[in-house]
Amino acid sequence: AQKVTQAQTEISVVEKEDVTLDCVYETRDTTYYLFWYKQPPSGELVFLIRRNSFDEQNEISGRYSWNFQKSTSSFNFTITASQVVDSAVYFCALRGSNDYKLSFGAGTTVTVRA
Amino acid sequence: NAGVTQTPKFRVLKTGQSMTLLCAQDMNHEYMYWYRQDPGMGLRLIHYSVGEGTTAKGEVPDGYNVSRLKKQNFLLGLESAAPSQTSVYFCASNDSGYYEQYFGPGTRLTVT
């Protein structure tokens, strides 16, 4: 069974601060896929990134960066120089190689104050 | 491309009523999914389909039925609505060769 834990329920920061969202996962699969999705106040789910278990390279996309550490089963997400538009619920998700479904964490609500 | 669309956006039902939620995608995706989102629980898979004419149960299938008669459509039915089915329902799809799921805008359902 796949399990994703996002221990931080809510994070509140002031604009321009950095914020890191933790994601810890459990799986018995040797091949698996990790994802981050953003859910802004409008409610839709926006795909941000997919990381394969065999690719441990960290990734940066603009102000977003992801740190994948297989040794600690973590896939953390950092927003650098946060902006009000980053206010959203962020979900980490896991899919095993033989799974169809995504197993989601409970989500972390990020509030960025001006 | 419209991507994934869902109809309706909002609905209020009384206990015992039935309804069907429609999901449509124009990306020619093989796989389609229905999730429900409840506070503090992330999204949980209700049913899914790996191709036209196929359906399978997810984590929380009880009280729901689905059908995939056309590749682009995936219907979710509530046979006899219960207050516990008050939730936001999301449809998603992806292509067999890729793993990102693309989500519709959601349907907010309230059962009184």
Side-chain angles (χ1 to χ4, degrees), chain B residues 37-57:
Chain B
Q37 181 180 19
D38 302 294
M41 300 186 73
L43 281 78
R44 293 178 294 167
L45 184 67
I46 305 171
H47 286 282
Y48 64 96
S49 168
V50 301
E52 183 179 313
T54 74
T55 62
K57 293 181 180 179

Side-chain angles (χ1 to χ4, degrees), chain B residues 21-25 32-34 47-49 54-56 66-76 91-92:
Chain B
L21 281 66
L22 170 63
C23 175
Q25 52 93 5
M32 296 187 75
Y33 313 80
W34 276 107
H47 286 282
Y48 64 96
S49 168
T54 74
T55 62
V66 288
S67 64
R68 182 111 181 258
L69 298 179
K70 293 183 179 180
K71 186 177 183 178
Q72 64 268 34
N73 295 338
F74 194 29
L75 279 62
L76 177 71
C91 177

